[in-house]
Amino acid sequence: MATRWGICSTGRISHDFTIALKTLPPGDHQIVAVAARKLQDAQEFAKKHSIPKAYGSYEELAGDPEIEVVYVGVIHPYHLPVSTLFMKAQKNVLCEKPLAMNLREVQEIVTSAKMNNVFLMEGLWTRFFPASLEIGRLLSEGEVGEVLAVKVDFGVPLLSVPKTTVNQKELGGGALLAIGIYCLQFICMVYNGEKPESVQATGVCLDTGVDESMVVTLKFSRNRMAVFTCCIQDTFPNDALIVGTKGTIRVPQHFWCPTSLVVNGKETTYPLPDPYLPLNFYNGTGMRYEAEEVRQCLLKGLTESPRMCNSDSLLLAEVMDEARRQVGVIYDQDQ
């Protein structure tokens, strides 16, 4: 039987996720309905993507008995209330990153999932790409020895995007929450979810109070290091490098949605299927991998993914809270 999806919100990321879902076998994944705050938006989205039902409220989507799991693609500050709404209605949830605005909110979402005994996963799609799975295999088998350091950079000129929300504090803007989380999760993935011994962050803030750029250095046990830079003003190489005692693993570009991997100088590629409509985000059809992870977890009766478990989300939130504190980025949700 197909996993029955509901799509919450009709923004750019929901558009791409819907396209990605439809690259998977229809016997495995079925989109039942879409919801937006305005019925007209939902109806237009449903028509564009051939979705049977459209709702003008999230409450209606939560009440649909056909829906098994909801993809939550609303803006950052609404992740907590909207995800909680669905989980209380006994819906499983795949919520876009960041799972919530801070550690306290992530703890609330995780607690709600446990209380309602439903599946919850933060939508950090990077972890489910074939290239990322290959990184995990190589590290577990000691292909490059013990990891000594990880370096990740992510910079894109998001401030020049029309109608951007990335510079607005009340909408959860800022480089760290928008793109820096991809760098941090990559590092935490490499170090297998270990909590860093120290976090040192410095950055530049916009007049609106959000971070325009940030550099974060992390020290792990046995003197292993990691550093990442994120920036929403300029374009960076956007690659990742893992240095071990016996070699290196490099994601040469677009590390957050990787389709190639260079291991000790040898490159392997992992092509993606083509979309049926233009995408908003590079390699957007790669969200198919996180969708399939949700399906496999549900088939096994799991309430979280072993590849992106709730403890991972809690760790990310804790480190980001500390980095923001050092740089001076404070959201209303932090009060």
Side-chain angles (χ1 to χ4, degrees), residues 10 34 38-48 54-55:
T10 56
V34 60
K38 296 180 181 179
L39 179 58
Q40 182 179 351
D41 291 344
Q43 289 172 334
E44 291 176 356
F45 190 96
K47 182 179 180 181
K48 179 185 294 184
Y55 295 121

Side-chain angles (χ1 to χ4, degrees), residues 18 40 73 83 91 119 158 172 195 205 220 222 239 304:
T18 299
Q40 182 179 351
S83 295
K91 305 300 183 189
F119 177 86
L158 295 177
K195 182 178 178 178
C205 290
F220 292 84
R222 304 194 302 279
D239 57 3
E304 56 183 297

